[in-house]
């Protein structure tokens, strides 16, 4: 007989053999005992945790000659055929390769016939989330009015991809990932059954590498037996699987703690020389740091850490050397490195850089410390995590940049001649938004104003000539203000009509590249307004906190936005 892989050879044949899914198996057993088996089931969960296995056991339980029973005999023709996957009344459909409507039509055809020999006609649709919408719709009709003695089981790793209409017509069982301990025990039993001897550490390495999937654990076992023969030696197993020894991870973190960059880099060099895949190593270190972080917050015996008992002490000890903030920073650095390494030409550089960042990360002051050093009253206290702007009056937002930078001027001078029926400005892109803090220069010399006037003349000569009489104008906080002398109040009044304001607003918005409100004032009013309410920039510049920030970061206030007006 040809060699059967371990994962298949040790597929559980009864509900009680299924490891770690008692919630599911107990409910199914109960349904069988009380004759309440549903017409549709969804089995969801990670790969290799027992979905297909359980579905087959349920099929056998229902169709066994001695059934329906919670302990199918496994020997009757029905059980034997189901185990071998060739029962006429139990059809397994792989939705990943049979996604379409035709397959589901065939299936609907098949459903119409009663089971040919057994009690139930059973359809097991694997990878059910891969079905097309049409296929789901076809399936829906069948699930809605299931023919008597028919049963559908949909197995999937991505249940959220099943349409809600399907979900609501099925009973849903979520299979959990298996614990380190559950996988360890199973592996130990299988190893004994296979007449192989194994180091304790070899099995725990395998159980960890399985990451919650029993199939992965068993497949890896197959792989190491092929490589190591009759005795599984821990060191060799680690090499075969490319698993870095826990002691090495601990060693690197110790070097990080001691800020010993040399040692850290040498370790990487040694790993590379020994042929370890560095991206894989980075993943292992990330997991280790994650365990340290959890050890720090929840204690080293937390169930969230999936490692053998003897490693827990180590985790507790090392995590104690770092602060929670350190560890979360390391975690962040490593996660980023891991994803960068995937696409890097020389992954090693990214790993080295990440490790150097970790060595130096502890020397960096945190932003909170920096801010608390400012010591100004209005800043949020370090202990409070509630953003202060939730209650405080909207402050001015200040964009600080290094003093060297000069803000680019980006205006194209529009043609000066007017009136022009087709203002050429329309074809040029609107210039970037501007905020002139102080009243602007003489009207005729301001290119922005010139552009506005040109456009206005294009639409209304009357409005254009009203603009000629203003003394000054400015844009600030989303408001374009046009100022007139008392003697020209006549023009100011004309500008206040709704129609004129609308035209002016549209033109200004086009030229300035941002929506604006239009404000028309007489000089007297303007003076008062300025005395009463300093503009946002003035307020920002007088603000103590802004000043403290500016000093601390050696910055310049480039732009000020008045959030109260947005
Ligand atoms: N809960 C479990 N208890 C014991 N063995 C298990 C369990 N889950 C999986 N296995 C082992 O893994 C193999 C594959 O399991 P199964 O086919 O049920 O996985 P699955 O959940 O359907 O995975 P996939 O989503 O990849 O199809 C089984 O043959 C069995 O050896
Ligand atoms: Mg499966
Ligand atoms: Zn049977």
């Amino acid at each position: 007989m040809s060699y059967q892989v371990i994962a298949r050879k040790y597929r559980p044949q009864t509900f009680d053999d299924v490891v770690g899914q008692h919630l599911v198996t107990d409910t199914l057993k109960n349904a069988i005992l009380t004759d309440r088996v549903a017409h549709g089931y969804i089995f969801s969960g990670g790969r290799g945790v027992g979905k297909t296995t359980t579905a087959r056991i349920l099929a056998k339980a229902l169709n066994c000659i001695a059934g329906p029973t919670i302990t199918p005999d496994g020997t009757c023709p029905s059980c034997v055929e189901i185990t071998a996957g060739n029962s006429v009344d139990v059809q397994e459909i792989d939705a990943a390769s049979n996604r379409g409507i035709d397959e589901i039509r065939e299936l609907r055809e098949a459903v119409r016939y009663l089971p040919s020999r057994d009690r139930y006609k059973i359809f097991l649709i694997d990878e059910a989330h891969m079905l097309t919408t049409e296929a789901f719709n076809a399936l829906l009709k069948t699930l809605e009015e299931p023919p008597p003695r028919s049963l559908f089981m949909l197995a999937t790793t991505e249940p959220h991809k099943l349409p809600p209409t399907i979900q609501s017509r099925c009973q849903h069982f979520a299979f959990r990932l298996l614990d380190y301990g559950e996988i360890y025990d199973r592996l130990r039993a299988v190893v004994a059954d296979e007449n192989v001897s194994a180091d304790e550490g070899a099995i725990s390495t395998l159980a960890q590498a399985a990451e919650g999937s029993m199939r992965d654990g068993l497949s890896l076992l197959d792989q190491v037996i092929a490589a190591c023969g009759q005795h599984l030696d821990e060191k060799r197993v680690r090499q075969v699987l490319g698993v870095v020894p826990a002691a090495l991870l601990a060693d690197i973190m110790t070097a990080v703690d001691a800020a010993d960059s040399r040692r850290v880099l040498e370790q990487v060099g040694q790993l590379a020389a020994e042929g370890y895949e560095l991206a894989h190593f980075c993943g292992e270190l990330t997991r280790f740091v994650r365990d340290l972080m959890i050890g720090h917050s929840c204690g080293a015996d937390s169930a969230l850490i999936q490692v053998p008992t003897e490693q827990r002490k180590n985790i507790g000890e090392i995590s104690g050397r770092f602060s929670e903030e350190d560890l979360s920073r390391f975690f962040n650095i490593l996660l980023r490195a891991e994803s960068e390494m995937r696409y890097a030409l020389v992954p090693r550089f990214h790993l080295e850089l990440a490790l150097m960042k970790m060595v130096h990360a502890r020397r960096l002051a945190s932003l909170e410390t920096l801010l608390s050093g400012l010591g100004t009253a209005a800043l949020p206290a370090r202990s409070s995590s509630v953003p202060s702007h939730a209650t405080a009056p909207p402050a001015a937002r200040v964009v600080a940049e290094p003093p060297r930078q000069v803000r680019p001027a980006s205006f194209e001078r529009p043609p000066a001649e007017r009136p022009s029926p087709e203002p050429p400005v329309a074809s040029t892109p609107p210039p970037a938004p501007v905020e002139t803090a102080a009243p602007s220069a003489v009207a005729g010399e301001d290119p922005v104003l010139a552009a506005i006037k040109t456009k206005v003349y294009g639409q209304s000569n009357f409005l254009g000539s009203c603009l000629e009489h203003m003394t000054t104008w400015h844009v600030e906080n989303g408001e374009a203000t046009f100022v007139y002398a008392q003697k020209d109040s006549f023009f100011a009044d004309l500008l206040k009509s709704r129609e004129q304001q609308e035209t002016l607003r549209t033109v200004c918005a086009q030229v300035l590249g941002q929506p604006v409100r239009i404000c028309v004032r007489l000089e007297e009013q303007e003076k008062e307004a300025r005395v009463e309410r300093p503009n946002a920039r003035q307020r920002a510049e007088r603000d103590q906190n802004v000043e403290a920030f500016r000093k601390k970061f050696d910055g310049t206030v480039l732009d000020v936005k008045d959030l109260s007006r947005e």
Side-chain angles (χ1 to χ4, degrees), residues 127-207:
E127 306 294 340
H129 61 273
M130 301 286 276
L131 289 179
T132 58
T133 313
E134 294 78 21
F136 274 127
N137 287 339
L139 184 60
L140 198 60
K141 295 208 179 71
T142 312
L143 282 176
E144 212 147 33
E145 290 167 25
R149 293 163 60 194
S150 68
L151 170 61
F152 282 86
M153 295 189 263
L154 312 184
T156 175
T157 45
E158 296 175 67
H160 54 276
K161 289 193 181 161
L162 301 181
T165 42
I166 298 273
Q167 292 191 32
S168 69
R169 284 169 178 81
C170 296
Q171 275 186 29
H172 187 167
F173 289 108
F175 285 60
R176 54 185 276 276
L177 284 181
L178 298 166
D179 281 347
Y180 163 81
E182 289 164 338
I183 298 180
Y184 179 92
D185 291 344
R186 181 78 171 172
L187 289 175
R188 174 133 290 271
V190 171
V191 162
D193 232 67
E194 290 286 306
N195 286 322
V196 173
S197 64
D199 291 351
E200 185 85 7
I203 296 186
S204 73
T205 303
L206 285 165

Side-chain angles (χ1 to χ4, degrees), residues 392-556:
R397 188 167 72 213
V398 179
V399 184
E401 275 187 35
R404 277 177 288 116
Q405 263 172 305
V406 181
R407 201 174 188 196
S410 60
F411 294 117
E412 264 174 57
R413 184 173 274 276
E417 81 275 13
R418 59 184 157 76
S420 121
E422 282 290 333
V425 183
S427 60
T428 58
V434 273
E435 286 197 0
T436 35
S440 63
V442 186
E445 286 177 14
D446 181 338
V448 184
L449 183 60
I452 291 176
K453 284 185 182 174
T454 311
K455 276 212 153 201
V456 166
Y457 270 112
Q459 302 205 9
S460 154
N461 276 336
F462 168 72
L463 184 56
S465 56
C466 284
L467 287 184
E468 297 298 345
H469 294 273
M470 81 170 90
T471 50
T472 181
W473 85 299
H474 56 88
V475 184
E476 197 182 296
N477 300 324
E479 195 167 83
T481 306
F482 298 87
V483 184
Y484 286 80
Q486 186 66 41
K487 65 177 175 58
D488 291 326
S489 66
F490 169 71
F491 296 105
D493 288 343
L494 287 174
L495 228 62
K496 284 180 185 163
S497 92
R498 225 182 118 151
E499 194 191 339
Q500 309 299 355
Q501 288 239 328
E502 191 52 38
T503 313
L504 201 50
R505 203 175 57 76
T506 318
V507 169
C508 287
Q510 282 171 357
V511 174
L512 298 168
Q514 66 179 37
V516 281
R517 290 180 302 275
I518 301 295
C519 180
V520 181
R521 282 201 199 116
L522 296 180
E523 277 171 347
E524 277 305 301
Q525 297 167 325
E526 170 70 3
K527 226 181 273 170
E528 275 170 30
R530 298 229 145 242
V531 173
E532 257 173 29
R533 206 183 60 80
N535 67 30
R537 169 170 281 269
Q538 289 164 337
R539 277 180 288 147
E541 278 168 353
R542 285 177 211 159
D543 189 283
Q544 279 182 41
N545 292 329
V546 173
E547 182 56 16
F549 266 99
R550 209 189 54 69
K551 275 203 184 129
K552 185 104 194 171
F553 297 107
D554 190 21
T556 312

Side-chain angles (χ1 to χ4, degrees), residues 9 11 29 97 106 119 138 286-287 295 334 368 531:
K9 184 168 165 192
R11 192 192 280 282
K29 281 198 279 187
S97 43
E106 264 171 44
R119 219 165 283 113
T286 311
R287 180 200 309 278
L334 288 169
E368 286 92 334
V531 173

Side-chain angles (χ1 to χ4, degrees), residues 13 60 64 73-87 117:
Q13 299 301 328
K60 275 189 278 186
C64 177
D73 58 13
T75 51
C76 72
S78 191
C79 286
V80 171
E81 285 173 18
I82 292 172
T83 307
N86 55 17
S87 163
R117 178 193 62 200

Side-chain angles (χ1 to χ4, degrees), residues 15 36 50 61 72 85 149 167 219 235 243 258-259 290 298 317 359-360 438 463 476 486 502 529:
F15 286 122
R36 287 173 169 275
R149 293 163 60 194
Q167 292 191 32
S219 304
K235 185 150 180 255
V243 176
R290 177 246 179 218
C298 314
E317 200 265 307
V359 168
H360 297 295
L463 184 56
E476 197 182 296
Q486 186 66 41
E502 191 52 38

Side-chain angles (χ1 to χ4, degrees), residues 238-239 242-245 248 270-278 281:
R238 283 188 180 278
Q239 265 172 352
V243 176
V244 184
L248 197 148
Q270 194 185 331
L271 280 169
E274 285 176 17
Y276 277 102
E277 211 211 309
L278 293 180
F281 163 76

